[in-house]
Amino acid sequence: LAKTTQPISMDSYEGQEVNITCSHNNIATNDYITWYQQFPSQGPRFIIQGYKTKVTNEVASLFIPADRKSSTLSLPRVSLSDTAVYYCLVGPLYGQNFVFGPGTRLSVLP
Amino acid sequence: DADVTQTPRNRITKTGKRIMLECSQTKGHDRMYWYRQDPGLGLRLIYYSFDVKDINKGEISDGYSVSRQAQAKFSLSLESAIPNQTALYFCATSDATVEEEKLFFGSGTQLSVL
C-alpha cells in the first residue's frame, strides 16, 4: 500500500476554505485516494474518494493532479463542527485493507 | 454508523483475563475489520475478513484473535489481556461497488486493562 504524508495539524477560522494536502509519491496505477473524518470518541466517517482530476460531493472536493502523487481535500466555508481529524488513505478497490496514518488534526476557530 | 453495532461500549478488565468484543452489522457487507486506536494516534488494523471463510492478519494482530461467525458477526478476542491493550477499538464494514469503496464504523469499545 502506498505510504501517505499529511500535515499533523492545521488551524483555520470559521467561514474559510480549508485545503489539506496528502502526499503519496508511490501511488500505484490501480490505487484510489480516500478521505475520512473523525470526531473524538467516534469512528471515522467517509468523506470522499477519487482516482483522478476532481471529485466533488455535498461536503467536500478532492483535487488530484495528473501525476497523482498528491491530492488535496478542500472543505468550503468551514464551521466549528468541522474540527476533527482528517485521514488520507491510498489503495486499490476490491481488496484494500485500509491503513490509517496519524491524520491531520484540523482546528476551526471562531 | 447505527448499522454497525459494537458491544460492549465500555469494558474494564484485569490483566490476564480473556475478553471478547463483539460486532454485528445489518448492512449486508461481506468485509469486516477490527481496528484499535490509541490516544492521539491513527487507527491500526488488527484483523480483517473479506467473507465468512476468510480471515487475515493486520499490522498488529499479536495478542488478538478473531472469529467470523456469520456474514453479520465478527468478534475480537484478547486471550490474555495486558495493560498495553488498553485502547479504543473499532469495528468496521466496507461496501465496494464498481466505482467506490467506503468503510462504515461502529461507535467503538473503550477497553481498559488494569
Side-chain angles (χ1 to χ4, degrees):
Chain A
L1 293 172
K3 178 179 170 60
T4 61
T5 303
Q6 309 173 228
I8 295 298
S9 64
M10 294 180 66
D11 291 337
S12 182
Y13 291 95
E14 281 192 290
Q16 290 187 332
E17 178 184 73
V18 171
N19 296 308
I20 306 174
T21 298
C22 179
S23 298
H24 28 81
N25 290 319
N26 60 340
I27 188 169
T29 302
N30 59 344
D31 284 347
Y32 281 69
I33 300 153
T34 311
W35 286 81
Y36 286 83
Q37 174 192 55
Q38 185 182 26
F39 298 113
S41 300
Q42 296 185 25
R45 183 179 69 171
F46 174 91
I47 301 175
I48 197 165
Q49 187 175 76
Y51 183 80
K52 62 180 180 180
T53 62
K54 177 183 175 182
V55 180
T56 298
N57 62 23
E58 62 275 9
V59 297
S61 295
L62 178 59
F63 298 93
I64 306 168
D67 67 6
R68 303 198 330 121
K69 293 184 182 298
S70 67
S71 58
T72 300
L73 174 71
S74 181
L75 305 172
R77 299 180 298 281
V78 294
S79 64
L80 297 176
S81 62
D82 292 314
T83 293
V85 179
Y86 292 82
Y87 299 97
C88 167
L89 283 71
V90 174
L93 301 184
Y94 307 110
Q96 178 179 182
N97 52 330
F98 300 85
V99 176
F100 288 75
T104 297
R105 187 172 299 275
L106 172 66
S107 297
V108 179
L109 309 173
Chain B
D1 192 305
D3 297 328
V4 182
T5 303
Q6 291 184 234
T7 55
R9 289 297 308 277
N10 292 280
R11 180 72 183 266
I12 300 174
T13 191
K14 294 183 178 180
T15 297
K17 293 291 188 181
R18 184 179 187 276
I19 185 168
M20 179 181 288
L21 309 182
E22 299 190 1
C23 177
S24 63
Q25 53 117 345
T26 57
K27 288 189 165 296
H29 294 166
D30 287 326
R31 302 173 181 211
M32 299 188 73
Y33 308 77
W34 275 105
Y35 289 88
R36 69 173 277 175
Q37 185 171 36
D38 296 280
L41 301 179
L43 283 74
R44 291 186 290 169
L45 183 63
I46 307 172
Y47 271 96
Y48 61 102
S49 169
F50 285 166
D51 64 42
V52 175
K53 297 181 180 179
D54 176 76
I55 300 290
N56 303 282
K57 293 182 178 180
E59 58 182 315
I60 55 163
S61 59
D62 287 348
Y64 301 94
S65 63
V66 291
S67 173
R68 186 78 185 268
Q69 301 95 321
Q71 184 201 42
K73 296 183 182 296
F74 192 35
S75 300
L76 176 71
S77 293
L78 287 68
E79 298 301 326
S80 180
I82 56 177
N84 75 1
Q85 291 177 313
T86 293
L88 182 56
Y89 289 84
F90 288 106
C91 173
T93 72
S94 73
D95 176 32
T97 66
V98 173
E99 299 173 341
E100 189 176 76
E101 183 168 16
K102 60 176 76 171
L103 284 167
F104 298 87
F105 283 83
S107 299
T109 295
Q110 179 62 57
L111 176 65
S112 298
V113 183
L114 305 178

